[in-house]
Amino acid sequence: MSKIGFIGLGIMGRPMAGHLLDAGHELTTVKRGSLDETLASKGMKELDNPKAVAEGAEVVITMVPDTPDVEEVLFGEGGVIEGLKPGTLVIDMSSIAPLATQEFAKRIHDAGGEYVDAPVSGGEGGAINAALTIMVGATQEGFERANPLLEIMGKTITHIGGHGAGQTCKVANQIVVALTIEAVSEGLLFASKAGADVSKVRESLLGGLAQSKILDVHGQRMIDRTFDPGFKIKLHQKDLNLALEGARSLDLALPGTANAQQLFQACAANGGADWDHAGILRALERLADHEVGSR
């Protein structure tokens, strides 16, 4: 069993860390307020800073919101790199900028460690059920070392390529997810405004070419109007910013992505930054002056 430092115990990180504890690994984290009771009962310990976590770990996993957060954890004062031992495996499972990831990988490598970028898709449900899709950027050696741990947390693990490739795949994933959520919102809004029973419309669509996990899960969220976050709009905005910044550097037009970002921004401007990303429906409902399911 491995000694693992796990930094980032949010909506996703908590259940992911729990699965590693259940598998018999020893976990430490950085003290941030009160430690989750379930994790504490399973033996997770708290230390003062990322340096201390790294000093006692063979593997360090980060699961934090954005690129600057990863940089601070790894390279800030009292950061992981200050406690890094030769051969330590650093796995970043956050969703961050691919170019920054390549730089972080070089700095960890130069300090004697092995770096793996392994962002995830599947939301809170995927994390709880250990059914995440994990997109990996790493050397072959790094992937082989990380894979047994990733298999504890995920169901579909793919070695995409070298450092940064996992993050590139995650950006592509977030483009597809955002546009599909928007498409489901527009379809259900159209059906509702036209007077159809949206529950039966969704049921029918699930049997045809429009079928998708998003129509299944988020379509039901929209009908039930349950927008408590599995994945917050403000985090999806961050991911689409990465997509649009990357597109500019590649001289690439992503008009659908830009439109989805504007709808997310409309939600945020109306107090919805912390809604689930299925809440993009609410921006469209405001434009239509109609709520899905209303008569």
Side-chain angles (χ1 to χ4, degrees):
M1 295 295 103
S2 299
K3 294 181 178 180
I4 301 171
F6 198 110
I7 302 173
L9 300 175
I11 289 174
M12 303 284 286
R14 282 194 302 271
M16 292 164 66
H19 295 314
L20 293 170
L21 287 163
D22 290 340
H25 297 288
E26 297 180 27
L27 266 66
T28 58
T29 191
V30 177
K31 185 173 180 60
R32 292 281 189 272
S34 299
L35 180 61
D36 179 85
E37 291 183 4
T38 300
L39 298 180
S41 70
K42 293 179 179 180
M44 186 172 231
K45 305 298 183 185
E46 293 179 298
L47 299 172
D48 289 337
N49 54 40
K51 174 186 176 181
V53 169
E55 286 173 339
E58 302 161 85
V59 180
V60 176
I61 297 174
T62 53
M63 186 62 176
V64 295
D66 204 349
T67 306
D69 302 302
V70 176
E71 185 171 20
E72 179 64 22
V73 166
L74 295 181
F75 308 113
E77 184 178 354
V80 166
I81 200 165
E82 295 181 14
L84 197 72
K85 302 187 301 295
T88 300
L89 178 64
V90 177
I91 307 173
D92 178 37
M93 304 190 75
S94 320
S95 295
I96 68 170
L99 289 178
T101 292
Q102 293 173 3
E103 177 193 344
F104 296 166
K106 183 178 186 304
R107 292 173 70 179
I108 292 296
H109 179 268
D110 290 346
E114 181 76 47
Y115 192 92
V116 172
D117 52 287
V120 305
S121 180
E124 182 182 13
I128 290 171
N129 296 314
L132 293 167
T133 293
I134 305 177
M135 311 153 219
V136 184
T139 64
Q140 186 61 36
E141 179 185 355
F143 175 71
E144 290 174 0
R145 287 184 63 190
N147 195 48
L149 298 177
L150 301 180
E151 287 180 335
I152 294 170
M153 297 177 280
K155 185 177 180 180
T156 303
I157 297 101
T158 307
H159 186 192
I160 306 296
H163 296 128
Q167 297 294 353
T168 296
C169 184
K170 178 58 187 289
V171 171
N173 178 84
Q174 296 303 81
I175 292 170
V176 173
V177 169
L179 270 63
T180 307
I181 291 176
E182 182 187 355
V184 170
S185 298
E186 291 191 12
L188 294 183
L189 183 60
F190 170 81
S192 179
K193 183 76 172 181
D197 183 327
V198 288
S199 293
K200 291 183 177 179
V201 168
R202 171 182 165 276
E203 181 183 347
S204 179
L205 294 178
L206 284 170
L209 192 59
Q211 189 277 335
S212 71
K213 187 171 184 178
I214 288 171
L215 176 62
D216 184 11
V217 175
H218 291 304
Q220 191 63 55
R221 274 183 182 269
M222 293 169 190
I223 293 168
D224 294 340
R225 308 197 67 74
T226 53
F227 298 114
D228 291 338
F231 187 73
K232 294 180 180 180
I233 279 176
K234 65 183 179 183
L235 294 178
H236 210 145
Q237 285 184 285
K238 177 261 298 183
D239 293 338
L240 295 192
N241 280 338
L242 295 176
L244 294 169
E245 289 165 5
R248 280 192 292 273
S249 69
L250 294 168
D251 291 328
L252 179 66
L254 298 176
T257 302
N259 187 58
Q261 183 72 307
Q262 289 299 304
L263 290 169
F264 280 140
Q265 182 56 36
C267 292
N270 284 277
D274 289 327
W275 295 342
D276 185 83
H277 51 176
I280 198 172
L281 171 69
R282 287 180 164 181
L284 293 164
E285 287 176 333
R286 277 182 171 266
L287 293 173
D289 192 26
H290 177 84
E291 285 191 358
V292 164
S294 63
R295 290 287 185 267

